Amino acid sequence: MLRGRSLSVTSLSGLPRWQIEELPVEELLLFEVAWEVTNKVGGIYTVIQTKAKTTADEWGDNYFLIGPYFEHNMKTQVEQCEPVNDAVRRAVDAMNKHGCQVHFGRWLIEGSPYVVLFDIGYSAWNLDRWKGDLWEACGVGIPYHDREANDMLIFGSLTAWFLKEVTDHADGKHVIAQFHEWQAGIGLILSRARKLPIATIFTTHATLLGRYLCAANIDFYNHLDKFNIDKEAGERQIYHRYCMERASVHCAHVFTTVSEITAIEAEHMLKRKPDVVTPNGLNVKKFSAVHEFQNLHAMYKARIQDFVRGHFYGHLDFDLEKTLFLFIAGRYEFSNKGADIFLESLSRLNFLLRMHKSEVTVVVFFIMPAKTNNFNVETLKGQAVRKQLWDIAHSVKEKFGKKLYDALLRGEIPDMNNILDRDDITIMKRAIFSTQRQSLPPVTTHNMIDDSTDPILSTIRRIGLFNSRTDRVKVILHPEFLSSTSPLLPMDYEEFVRGCHLGVFPSYYEPWGYTPAECTVMGIPSVTTNLSGFGCFMQEHVADPTAYGIYIVDRRFRSPDDSCNQLTQFLYGFCKQSRRQRIIQRNRTERLSDLLDWRYLGRYYQHARHLTLSRAFPDEFHVELTSPPTTEGFKYPRPSSVPPSPSGSQASSPQSSDVEDEVEDERYDEEEEAERDRLNIKSPFSLSHVPRGKKKLHGEYKN
């Protein structure tokens, strides 16, 4: 498999050799095409949105995103304006004159990139003609009942039309178009079929068939070379979509994917080895105060504790200062996202904590959207009771404080037995009475429509985690994405993540894994697997991931039961950490964020564009493969404070979270360790591909 390699370019006319990084972007136009441009559906939205600033810094006004038009998204996310580029302006005008609705503006995100949005419904009258065009181009037919595929055909046809208009007026500029996923692939197929003079890249973030097969609980990775691809796609009624995806892969000049594990999958599912692996990054913002992220953790943890007080009213017999908050979040794919193995591990963890009579309590949140018909009445009541108790405590405190103040003014020590009168005692007794409940705290915060068949709830019934008083592991299913406007848990996702102690994502199918990556950037430890792109990336770049708060479960070379036991041991070891050990680990986790910065990972996308230019225009560019711009051989070292993880030198049973180690590890020097990590991350950043003395392009980062 090809990895990212630096490209030297030699002019075929015999001119001196130069680097392709020196090619001025003023002579290029870059278009990125994705269904999730301004349209939040899944993880590709995060890729496009976070990468936009780095790409816009490099390409300036020659960078454009192409996506679908939705009125509500346009009103809230896009500022309409007129195209500055002449070729783009002419293309927009030409399509609007011929019965289309093309909208142009700036996307209101970091980098403010230009966006071109096509109104799919407005052009639906062309659907039958465009179905014929696709059949003539690649022999793929789309069933009339597959509305999503029909929408993608309209979107792809409009994209190819737009690129044709752009190239007709490009004035000698080279056009690069990158297409994300099968939803955008038809535009690539039609562009190549019509022989448009553009350089094309196709990026798959996950294969269609791979996702379906893994969801069917098939031993996918051990049988990659044994599947009858056409038969499997046909049985799942996605054969036409699979053909569109595979045709896009083979039509592209350069094929990329997001991780090594997905590259292996794509080679078998799509029958082409990816040319470049382009890992997904994030925009990493560093606080001016080094430990500000620790302060945010404490602040948002307090807000989660408030919710827990209400949810478990009447059963709050555990110490919230000795309570750990764990969570899993993402699409509701029960086995693909690892919710099955996570629940089984929680059952075993509950047994271990009870057996060792631990004072630690674990509250686990499942943030996975499912069909509901409203909030659970009992859950809403819990928050109302909590607020009522807070108001009562506050009013009694006011009266108590006034009496205490008056007594002190008189120079007296008040009689504590008389400072509260009978009315105060009565009010408090009523408050205590109101917290009595006959039922257990609910497992779910909403009324589930398919309660009896829901996989998570069915598993909870089987393993018996009903939030009883004896359980040391409590479970809360929140079947809706988090929002700061929620009357139940008014927190944005980022705030919630910062308030938790550990994110758990033991996925079986995870081409990249933005959820653990987001945890890492926010300084929150996480559990991932060696079947996720993120897990493989961290194994490659970090000598001892566990010491940096990245727990990697082996789901490729172990049985499900062994993987479950390994996950249980990770969770149990985490519960045994003291507060100080968790703080050390969070500091280390946050330092890994530089590895996930687009300023670093964007170079892989740069390489893909350089490679596709040379393949699309071989008469103008010749590529010589030289040294790779990867970080091979580079790894974050194992921290000097051995054993490798802060949890390694602990007692055999869990300690209270607020108890410091009696004997601190003197070998741990945070500043020294942080400085060494900073020096290490400079190593890959300084792998420059531009010869000394040459000018770097705007947006190309030295560090």
Side-chain angles (χ1 to χ4, degrees), residues 576-581 584 646 649-650 655 659-665:
K576 287 161 61 176
Q577 291 183 10
S578 69
R579 175 173 292 179
R580 176 178 178 273
Q581 289 169 328
I584 291 173
S649 57
Q650 298 160 351
Q655 303 179 43
V659 177
E660 305 293 347
D661 291 339
E662 291 182 6
V663 180
E664 295 186 356
D665 191 340

Side-chain angles (χ1 to χ4, degrees), residues 181-182 202-211 213 220 224 227-230 233 238-251 255-258 262-274 509:
E181 282 292 308
W182 72 273
F202 183 75
T203 300
T204 184
H205 297 257
T207 69
L208 264 173
L209 195 53
R211 192 179 293 280
L213 289 171
F220 179 66
L224 275 173
F227 290 114
N228 183 331
I229 303 298
D230 294 326
I238 58 166
Y239 187 68
H240 57 290
R241 296 188 183 193
Y242 167 73
C243 289
M244 289 155 56
E245 181 182 40
R246 186 164 167 179
S248 303
V249 167
H250 288 271
C251 283
F255 172 42
T256 78
T257 190
V258 296
T262 312
I264 296 169
E265 172 191 343
E267 186 176 357
H268 289 90
M269 295 290 108
L270 301 173
K271 307 304 179 185
R272 180 176 176 181
K273 186 182 293 187
Y509 187 78

Side-chain angles (χ1 to χ4, degrees), residues 397-421:
K397 183 185 74 172
E398 288 289 324
K399 291 175 66 177
F400 180 94
K402 187 175 185 304
K403 290 179 181 179
L404 178 61
Y405 175 62
D406 290 339
L408 293 175
L409 284 175
R410 293 193 300 270
E412 301 173 357
I413 299 296
D415 183 355
M416 293 302 173
N417 294 322
N418 298 326
I419 202 165
L420 293 177
D421 57 30

Side-chain angles (χ1 to χ4, degrees), residues 60-247:
D61 288 344
N62 288 357
Y63 173 52
F64 305 87
L65 291 161
I66 297 176
Y69 167 83
F70 295 101
E71 185 178 3
H72 59 283
N73 291 340
M74 186 76 182
K75 286 180 177 178
T76 58
Q77 298 187 51
V78 180
E79 179 186 5
Q80 281 194 281
C81 63
E82 288 297 316
V84 176
N85 184 277
D86 184 63
V88 173
R89 180 179 53 77
R90 289 191 183 189
V92 171
D93 291 344
M95 292 181 69
N96 283 333
K97 285 177 184 176
H98 286 85
C100 301
Q101 271 202 1
V102 183
H103 301 264
F104 187 88
R106 282 193 179 274
W107 192 1
L108 301 177
I109 59 173
E110 269 196 289
S112 301
Y114 289 123
V115 289
V116 181
L117 305 177
F118 301 129
D119 190 326
I120 306 301
Y122 200 82
S123 300
W125 57 276
N126 277 314
L127 181 61
D128 289 339
R129 177 165 65 88
W130 285 338
K131 281 189 176 183
D133 290 345
L134 182 66
W135 178 262
E136 290 177 8
C138 59
V140 175
I142 299 178
Y144 74 94
H145 58 77
D146 189 345
R147 181 171 178 176
E148 184 181 7
N150 287 330
D151 284 348
M152 300 314 156
L153 173 60
I154 299 170
F155 178 54
S157 300
L158 290 169
T159 301
W161 183 358
F162 176 79
L163 292 174
K164 168 71 165 60
E165 296 289 342
V166 168
T167 53
D168 285 348
H169 304 97
D171 288 335
K173 289 187 176 182
H174 296 300
V175 175
I176 305 174
Q178 181 165 8
F179 300 81
H180 292 268
E181 282 292 308
W182 72 273
Q183 290 98 328
I186 290 179
L188 190 156
I189 297 168
L190 294 176
S191 296
R192 294 305 305 278
R194 294 165 187 173
K195 296 181 169 55
L196 299 187
I198 62 175
T200 57
I201 308 169
F202 183 75
T203 300
T204 184
H205 297 257
T207 69
L208 264 173
L209 195 53
R211 192 179 293 280
Y212 273 84
L213 289 171
C214 287
N217 288 321
I218 291 173
D219 187 5
F220 179 66
Y221 292 98
N222 289 323
H223 296 87
L224 275 173
D225 57 342
K226 299 179 178 64
F227 290 114
N228 183 331
I229 303 298
D230 294 326
K231 176 175 175 292
E232 297 289 353
E235 287 179 351
R236 287 160 178 77
Q237 299 183 18
I238 58 166
Y239 187 68
H240 57 290
R241 296 188 183 193
Y242 167 73
C243 289
M244 289 155 56
E245 181 182 40
R246 186 164 167 179

